[in-house]
Coordinates of all heavy atoms in Angstrom, one line a residue:
E565 N -3.1 -21.7 -15.7 CA -4.2 -22.6 -15.6 C -5.5 -22.0 -15.9 O -5.7 -20.9 -15.7 CB -4.2 -23.2 -14.1 CG -4.3 -22.2 -13.0 CD -4.5 -22.6 -11.6 OE1 -5.3 -23.7 -11.5 OE2 -4.0 -22.1 -10.7
A566 N -6.4 -22.8 -16.2 CA -7.9 -22.3 -16.5 C -8.6 -22.4 -15.3 O -8.8 -23.4 -14.7 CB -8.5 -23.2 -17.6
L567 N -9.1 -21.2 -14.8 CA -10.0 -21.2 -13.6 C -11.4 -21.3 -14.0 O -12.3 -21.6 -13.2 CB -9.8 -19.8 -12.9 CG -8.4 -19.4 -12.4 CD1 -8.4 -18.1 -11.8 CD2 -7.8 -20.5 -11.6
A568 N -11.8 -21.1 -15.3 CA -13.1 -21.2 -15.8 C -13.1 -21.5 -17.3 O -12.0 -21.0 -17.9 CB -14.0 -19.9 -15.5
V569 N -14.0 -22.1 -17.7 CA -14.2 -22.4 -19.2 C -15.4 -21.9 -19.8 O -16.4 -21.6 -19.1 CB -14.0 -24.0 -19.6 CG1 -12.6 -24.5 -19.1 CG2 -15.2 -24.7 -18.9
Y570 N -15.3 -21.7 -21.1 CA -16.7 -21.3 -21.8 C -17.8 -22.4 -21.7 O -17.5 -23.6 -21.8 CB -16.5 -21.0 -23.4 CG -15.6 -19.8 -23.5 CD1 -14.4 -19.8 -24.0 CD2 -16.2 -18.5 -23.2 CE1 -13.6 -18.6 -24.2 CE2 -15.4 -17.4 -23.3 CZ -14.3 -17.4 -23.9 OH -13.5 -16.2 -24.1
G571 N -19.0 -21.9 -21.6 CA -20.1 -22.9 -21.4 C -20.7 -23.3 -22.8 O -21.2 -24.4 -22.9
E572 N -20.6 -22.4 -23.8 CA -21.4 -22.8 -25.1 C -20.5 -22.6 -26.3 O -19.3 -22.1 -26.2 CB -22.6 -21.7 -25.2 CG -23.9 -22.2 -24.5 CD -23.8 -21.7 -23.1 OE1 -23.1 -20.8 -22.6 OE2 -24.6 -22.3 -22.3
D573 N -21.0 -22.9 -27.4 CA -20.5 -22.6 -28.7 C -19.4 -23.6 -29.0 O -19.1 -24.5 -28.3 CB -20.1 -21.2 -28.9 CG -20.4 -20.6 -30.2 OD1 -20.2 -21.4 -31.2 OD2 -20.9 -19.5 -30.3
F574 N -18.7 -23.3 -30.2 CA -17.7 -24.3 -30.6 C -16.4 -24.4 -29.7 O -15.6 -25.2 -29.8 CB -17.4 -24.2 -32.2 CG -16.5 -22.9 -32.3 CD1 -15.2 -23.0 -32.5 CD2 -17.1 -21.7 -32.7 CE1 -14.3 -22.1 -32.7 CE2 -16.3 -20.6 -32.9 CZ -14.9 -20.8 -33.0
Y575 N -16.3 -23.3 -28.9 CA -15.4 -23.3 -28.1 C -15.6 -23.6 -26.5 O -14.9 -23.3 -25.6 CB -14.4 -22.0 -28.1 CG -15.3 -20.6 -28.3 CD1 -15.9 -20.0 -27.3 CD2 -15.7 -20.2 -29.6 CE1 -16.6 -18.9 -27.4 CE2 -16.5 -19.1 -29.8 CZ -16.9 -18.4 -28.6 OH -17.8 -17.3 -28.9
A576 N -16.8 -24.2 -26.4 CA -17.2 -24.7 -25.0 C -16.1 -25.5 -24.5 O -15.5 -26.3 -25.2 CB -18.5 -25.4 -25.1
G577 N -15.8 -25.3 -23.2 CA -14.8 -26.2 -22.6 C -13.3 -25.5 -22.6 O -12.4 -26.0 -22.0
R578 N -13.2 -24.5 -23.5 CA -11.8 -23.9 -23.6 C -11.7 -22.7 -22.6 O -12.8 -22.1 -22.2 CB -11.6 -23.3 -25.0 CG -11.4 -24.6 -26.0 CD -11.2 -24.1 -27.4 NE -10.0 -23.2 -27.5 CZ -9.6 -22.8 -28.8 NH1 -10.2 -23.1 -29.8 NH2 -8.6 -22.0 -28.8
P579 N -10.5 -22.3 -22.2 CA -10.4 -21.4 -21.1 C -11.1 -20.1 -21.2 O -11.0 -19.4 -22.3 CB -9.0 -21.1 -20.9 CG -8.3 -22.3 -21.7 CD -9.3 -22.8 -22.7
A580 N -11.8 -19.6 -20.2 CA -12.5 -18.3 -20.3 C -11.9 -17.3 -19.2 O -12.0 -16.1 -19.2 CB -13.9 -18.4 -20.0
L581 N -11.1 -18.0 -18.2 CA -10.5 -17.1 -17.2 C -9.1 -18.0 -16.8 O -9.2 -19.2 -16.6 CB -11.5 -17.1 -16.0 CG -10.8 -16.5 -14.7 CD1 -10.6 -15.1 -14.9 CD2 -11.9 -16.6 -13.5
T582 N -8.0 -17.3 -16.9 CA -6.8 -17.9 -16.5 C -6.0 -17.3 -15.4 O -6.2 -16.0 -15.3 CB -5.8 -18.1 -17.8 OG1 -5.3 -16.9 -18.1 CG2 -6.6 -18.8 -19.0
A583 N -5.1 -18.0 -14.8 CA -4.2 -17.4 -13.8 C -2.9 -18.1 -14.0 O -2.8 -19.3 -14.3 CB -4.7 -17.7 -12.4
H584 N -1.8 -17.3 -13.9 CA -0.5 -17.8 -14.0 C 0.4 -17.3 -13.0 O 0.5 -16.2 -12.7 CB 0.0 -17.2 -15.3 CG 1.4 -17.7 -15.7 ND1 2.4 -16.9 -16.4 CD2 1.9 -19.0 -15.6 CE1 3.4 -17.8 -16.6 NE2 3.2 -19.0 -16.2
R585 N 1.0 -18.2 -12.2 CA 1.9 -17.9 -11.2 C 3.2 -17.5 -12.0 O 3.8 -18.2 -12.7 CB 2.3 -19.2 -10.3 CG 1.1 -19.6 -9.4 CD 1.2 -19.3 -8.0 NE -0.2 -19.1 -7.5 CZ -0.5 -18.0 -6.8 NH1 0.3 -17.0 -6.6 NH2 -1.8 -17.9 -6.3
Y586 N 3.8 -16.4 -11.5 CA 5.0 -15.8 -12.3 C 5.8 -15.1 -11.2 O 5.3 -14.2 -10.5 CB 4.6 -14.9 -13.4 CG 5.6 -14.4 -14.2 CD1 6.0 -15.1 -15.3 CD2 6.2 -13.1 -13.9 CE1 7.0 -14.5 -16.1 CE2 7.2 -12.8 -14.7 CZ 7.6 -13.4 -15.9 OH 8.7 -12.9 -16.7
G587 N 6.9 -15.7 -10.9 CA 7.8 -15.0 -9.8 C 7.0 -15.3 -8.6 O 6.4 -16.4 -8.4
K588 N 7.0 -14.3 -7.8 CA 6.4 -14.3 -6.5 C 4.8 -13.8 -6.7 O 4.0 -13.8 -5.7 CB 6.9 -13.4 -5.5 CG 8.3 -13.8 -5.1 CD 8.8 -13.0 -3.8 CE 10.2 -13.2 -3.7 NZ 10.9 -11.8 -3.4
G589 N 4.3 -13.5 -7.9 CA 3.0 -12.9 -8.1 C 2.2 -13.9 -8.9 O 2.4 -15.0 -9.3
K590 N 1.1 -13.2 -9.5 CA 0.1 -13.9 -10.2 C -0.5 -13.0 -11.3 O -0.7 -11.8 -11.0 CB -1.0 -14.3 -9.4 CG -2.1 -15.2 -9.9 CD -2.9 -15.8 -8.8 CE -4.2 -15.1 -8.7 NZ -5.3 -15.7 -7.8
A591 N -0.6 -13.5 -12.5 CA -1.3 -12.7 -13.6 C -2.4 -13.4 -14.0 O -2.4 -14.6 -14.5 CB -0.3 -12.6 -14.8
C592 N -3.6 -12.7 -14.1 CA -4.8 -13.3 -14.4 C -5.4 -12.7 -15.8 O -5.2 -11.6 -16.1 CB -5.9 -12.9 -13.4 SG -5.5 -13.5 -11.8
F593 N -6.0 -13.5 -16.5 CA -6.5 -13.1 -17.9 C -8.1 -13.4 -17.9 O -8.5 -14.6 -17.8 CB -5.8 -13.8 -18.9 CG -6.2 -13.3 -20.3 CD1 -5.7 -12.1 -20.9 CD2 -7.1 -14.1 -21.1 CE1 -6.0 -11.7 -22.0 CE2 -7.3 -13.7 -22.4 CZ -6.9 -12.4 -22.9
I594 N -8.9 -12.4 -18.1 CA -10.3 -12.6 -18.2 C -10.6 -12.6 -19.8 O -10.5 -11.5 -20.3 CB -11.1 -11.5 -17.5 CG1 -10.8 -11.4 -16.1 CG2 -12.7 -11.8 -17.7 CD1 -11.4 -10.2 -15.3
A595 N -10.9 -13.7 -20.3 CA -10.9 -13.8 -21.7 C -12.2 -13.2 -22.5 O -12.2 -13.1 -23.7 CB -10.8 -15.3 -22.1
A596 N -13.2 -13.0 -21.7 CA -14.4 -12.6 -22.3 C -15.0 -11.4 -21.6 O -14.8 -11.1 -20.3 CB -15.4 -13.8 -22.2

Side-chain angles (χ1 to χ4, degrees):
E565 58 169 326
L567 302 182
V569 295
Y570 287 114
E572 274 87 24
D573 220 318
F574 74 92
Y575 37 89
R578 289 181 58 178
L581 174 67
T582 71
H584 186 219
R585 297 252 149 236
Y586 185 85
K588 293 191 197 133
K590 183 165 107 170
C592 305
F593 186 76
I594 306 171

